Amino acid sequence: MSLPLLQRVRGTAAAIDAQTPAHRDRSIDGLRALALLAVPTGHWLLGGFTLDSGGALHNASPLTSFGFFAPLSWVLQMLGIFFLVGGHASALSYRRAVARGRTTGAWLRGRVARLGRPVLGVTAVWAALLLVLHTLGVPGTTLRTASTLVIQPLWFVGVYTVITALTPWCIQAVERLGAWAALPLLGAVAVVDFLRYGPFAEAMPSWLSLLNLLPGWMFAYQLGVAWGEKKLSRRGARLLLAGGSALFAALLLVFHYPASMVGVPGEARTNSHPPSLLVLALAAAQSGAAILLRDRIGRLLRRPALWAPVVVINLSAMTILCWHQTALLAAAVPGSFLGAVPGLTTGPDTLGWTAARIAWLPVLAALLVLIGRYARGFEAPWQRASHVRRALAGVLAAGFAIFALGLA
């Protein structure tokens, strides 16, 4: 990096630091940024493709061949941290809104709009992009694979929106029970897991696991609300860290839960879709560790060089979530026309693939930054968009969702 460029970077970082209010809790933003970056990193490292004889891409995973990579998913599965920080931030935001006289409905509409605009944007763009790619000769199987990858991370936004709508009730639960308000959610998931994996599993309906969807992801959010309401102390954090770690070990070693925190093709059981008790155990341990490290993280982020990237990542949160798979596809789809490209279109079944994929990470990150320069506009209010354009975007988004979910 040349000296003038380095000086500009330092100047920008210093300006961002100077504009940050003194009361800003930098540790919360730092934790959110860490959880955000884990999403694309996990998807890029633990997801791959195979190329069939017709040149079409199919989804594949290195975990199918290398089970010993499973512990990597324990580090990269940080949705527990994301929901923890989300609950903390929502509790404070809701309290401030009420203090200013805003209604619950007005507060919720603002939160939902911030989450919904980027989702509508990415799905509408991809609906149009499918037609362009088809015209350019991209195989239909590749388009199916691409659509599945794009739509998969968006389930998170839907679940997060529902849980955000429950924030007032989460606060009421904390007022009555403190941090223990998260315990019934843990118990509900444990009961469902017992029914679907225990001695009566064969008699249970296939949809039973869906009952874990809301309490499973709401667990860490409820802990975050308790943290924001100052009802979760360092002593409670130590209990979460120790208890979550012990439960995690017991579920793996005694009850033989799958080791991977993400789905593995061909495996009968999965921990994440919907969440199993193992996900909650990991979330508890991660939450305890995050709370205990809060002050240390805050001190580290007093350095402008560390704080500036955190601010940029947080400002682009939904862009990262919605478009990181598009960055991967921006490399893989053209690569499929070249044949077997190591680490990109070759099967993830050798250690050489792993080394090649790691080498691709900077390229994928650069593509995401490039896409994000234009896609970030979807995060801002669509003040110039007419009702007709908004309706058209909605129709395109719905069409893409139907195609991606295999309903068409």
Side-chain angles (χ1 to χ4, degrees):
M1 184 180 293
S2 64
L3 184 59
L5 179 58
L6 182 61
Q7 290 175 338
R8 285 199 298 270
V9 170
R10 287 178 175 173
T12 301
I16 292 174
D17 182 71
Q19 293 170 11
T20 303
H23 60 79
R24 183 80 184 184
D25 192 336
R26 300 188 181 205
S27 63
I28 298 298
D29 291 314
L31 288 168
R32 185 187 294 109
L34 186 64
L36 278 167
L37 290 182
V39 175
T41 304
H43 285 158
W44 292 345
L45 283 177
L46 300 179
F49 302 104
T50 57
L51 197 64
D52 65 22
S53 57
L57 292 172
H58 300 262
N59 285 322
S61 172
L63 292 170
T64 303
S65 301
F66 304 114
F68 56 82
F69 280 177
L72 183 61
S73 69
W74 305 348
V75 178
L76 295 175
Q77 170 61 286
M78 298 190 69
L79 286 178
I81 294 291
F82 197 96
F83 278 98
L84 173 81
V85 173
H88 182 283
S90 292
L92 297 183
S93 172
Y94 180 74
R95 289 293 193 188
R96 288 194 296 266
V98 171
R100 292 195 300 265
R102 292 187 70 190
T103 65
T104 298
W107 174 81
L108 183 59
R109 283 192 296 273
R111 305 292 279 195
V112 171
R114 288 173 58 188
L115 295 171
R117 284 190 298 266
V119 173
L120 188 62
V122 68
T123 48
V125 168
W126 262 97
L129 193 57
L130 288 178
L131 299 175
V132 175
L133 293 175
H134 177 72
T135 303
L136 293 175
V138 176
T141 300
T142 296
L143 297 180
R144 284 283 186 188
T145 299
S147 300
T148 301
L149 285 180
V150 171
I151 206 77
Q152 277 179 347
L154 303 185
W155 67 264
F156 161 82
V157 181
V159 173
Y160 190 83
T161 300
V162 172
I163 293 175
T164 299
L166 298 175
T167 299
W169 290 273
C170 292
I171 292 175
Q172 291 178 16
V174 168
E175 290 174 345
R176 296 178 182 178
L177 302 173
W180 294 105
L183 189 60
L185 301 170
L186 183 75
V189 172
V191 169
V192 172
D193 270 16
F194 174 76
L195 292 175
R196 62 175 176 155
Y197 297 141
F200 312 107
E202 293 184 1
M204 294 295 111
S206 59
W207 53 261
L208 184 69
S209 62
L210 295 176
L211 297 179
N212 275 354
L213 195 59
L214 186 61
W217 295 119
M218 192 172 177
F219 172 74
Y221 189 89
Q222 182 70 66
L223 289 174
V225 171
W227 190 21
E229 292 285 288
K230 302 187 181 344
K231 298 292 185 179
L232 184 51
S233 63
R234 291 181 62 85
R235 180 181 178 184
R238 285 190 287 269
L239 179 61
L240 280 172
L241 177 58
S245 300
L247 178 59
F248 189 86
L251 292 173
L252 283 179
L253 301 176
V254 179
F255 296 98
H256 307 295
Y257 273 61
S260 173
M261 299 305 297
V262 297
V264 179
E267 293 289 335
R269 289 173 56 176
T270 177
N271 283 312
S272 56
H273 301 296
S276 71
L277 191 58
L278 192 73
V279 171
L280 274 71
L282 180 63
Q286 289 176 337
S287 297
I291 295 169
L292 292 173
L293 291 172
R294 176 184 189 172
D295 292 341
R296 184 173 299 180
I297 294 171
R299 287 194 296 271
L300 281 174
L301 294 180
R302 288 292 170 188
R303 303 176 183 176
L306 295 178
W307 174 238
V310 168
V311 172
V312 173
I313 292 168
N314 275 274
L315 289 174
S316 306
M318 289 299 297
T319 299
I320 293 171
L321 287 173
C322 292
W323 292 91
H324 69 276
Q325 294 288 45
T326 301
L328 173 60
L329 291 164
V333 173
S336 67
F337 286 92
L338 301 176
V341 180
L344 195 62
T345 62
T346 55
D349 51 7
T350 67
L351 291 178
W353 178 93
T354 304
R357 176 52 66 93
I358 291 174
W360 273 102
L361 292 183
V363 177
L364 301 180
L367 286 171
L368 180 56
V369 170
L370 180 62
I371 293 169
R373 288 186 61 185
Y374 303 96
R376 270 208 69 229
F378 291 117
E379 294 201 42
W382 297 2
Q383 296 175 346
R384 297 182 180 180
S386 66
H387 293 298
V388 174
R389 290 181 179 178
R390 292 177 183 177
L392 178 59
V395 170
L396 288 172
F400 175 75
I402 291 171
F403 178 82
L405 295 173
L407 301 178

